[in-house]
Amino acid sequence: MKEYKITLLKGDGIGPEIVDEAVKALNKVAAKHRFQVRYDEAYLGGIAIDKTGVPLPEETVTKCKASDAVLLGAVGGPKWEDQPGDNRPEAGLLGIRGALGLFANLRPAVIFEPLRQASPLKAEIIGEAMDIMVVRELTGGIYFGERGRMEKNGVPGAYDTEMYTVPEVERIARVAFDLAMKRGKKLCSVDKANVLEASRLWRETVLKVAKEYPQVELTHMYVDNCAMQLVRNPKQFDVIVTSNIFGDILSDEASMISGSIGMLASASLGQGKMGLYEPIHGSAPDIAGQGIANPLATILSVAMMLRYSLDQDQAADDIENAVNEVLKVARTPDIYTEGTRRVSCIEMGDLVCAQL
Ligand code: IPM
Ligand code: MG
């Protein structure tokens, strides 16, 4: 029997609750599709600071590197707000992405049919279906550029640097073009080339890579326009490729179109098969421990894990179908609409498992 090694980074806030439900779903499909999963846990984020003093202990990196895939909950919370910037929980998250070389972040914004009512957009704007894949560059740009405090004309200031190299843009562009080839063959590259030099390099490089993909229809869009177009006419998009910071912002926006940020999964991939899977939402400290968090983004992240790292496509389909079925009858508070049953985090996990 095939066996996979998964490292769990439950993290902070609602992280542990949602990861527990995702593990239940993974165990269920493993039994059904006859493979075995061995779990290991490691600390990341605030909990890691509490236990070891740093947000990303060396041991966590070692464990992750030795696994087939990593499942992450979320990190951060008010408790660690006063930590210096490089010792905040978020620094641990950026650190693990960097340490594992996970430069490609795939964030699919899909609308589940039963959730159409939950979208803040009008039905005619959403149309029949919405299926956008946001490809976010994850280990470069302003997140990883030089930053610091400085003085300008005697007054205190601070700076962060947006920087990309040609190979960094090339490799993320190829991931996006490859995905576009498997989907609707449309790619929109988002930048701010009317202002930023790093964006001009981005656009030039994407245009160069485009020559390898003559079948893909490539367009370019400024990020401000893209933010507007996402709510004006989301159907125009198939694959979006963009920088680290623009991808962070646009994927939150795209997630809301699908009804709730509690629904959006993500995969972070590097050169090999190994990947890190996490919901795109945060640790939601305000609702942590109340049992009302939506575990579906994490459960759907497991589906992405099955597809991209474990080659278990059938099991991935099963999870996505199960989520779709359960949404017809039950909802966590964030996506609740009248006529459905309001359920807790654990109940939602149980229902998905029962459907599986
Ligand atoms: C995300 C999050 C992170 C990011 C934070 C928590 C550092 O917002 O995964 O989108 O900005 O990448
Ligand atoms: Mg974000």
Side-chain angles (χ1 to χ4, degrees), residues 4 40 59 89 91 103 109 126 130 139 155 200 202 213-214 307 314 328 351:
Y4 302 104
D40 198 357
E59 197 196 355
F103 65 88
I126 301 167
M130 194 198 67
T139 52
V155 274
R200 287 191 271 272
W202 178 281
Y213 299 88
R307 192 164 285 129
Q314 197 59 55
K328 291 177 184 165
L351 284 168

Side-chain angles (χ1 to χ4, degrees), residues 75 90-91 93-94 97 105 107 136 138 143 244 247-248 251-252 278-282:
V75 300
E90 292 82 355
L93 181 54
L94 301 194
R97 290 170 177 169
N105 186 212
R107 301 189 157 188
R136 170 190 179 194
L138 202 62
Y143 273 55
N244 204 339
D248 177 46
S251 60
D252 265 32
E278 57 173 318
I280 79 151
H281 60 69

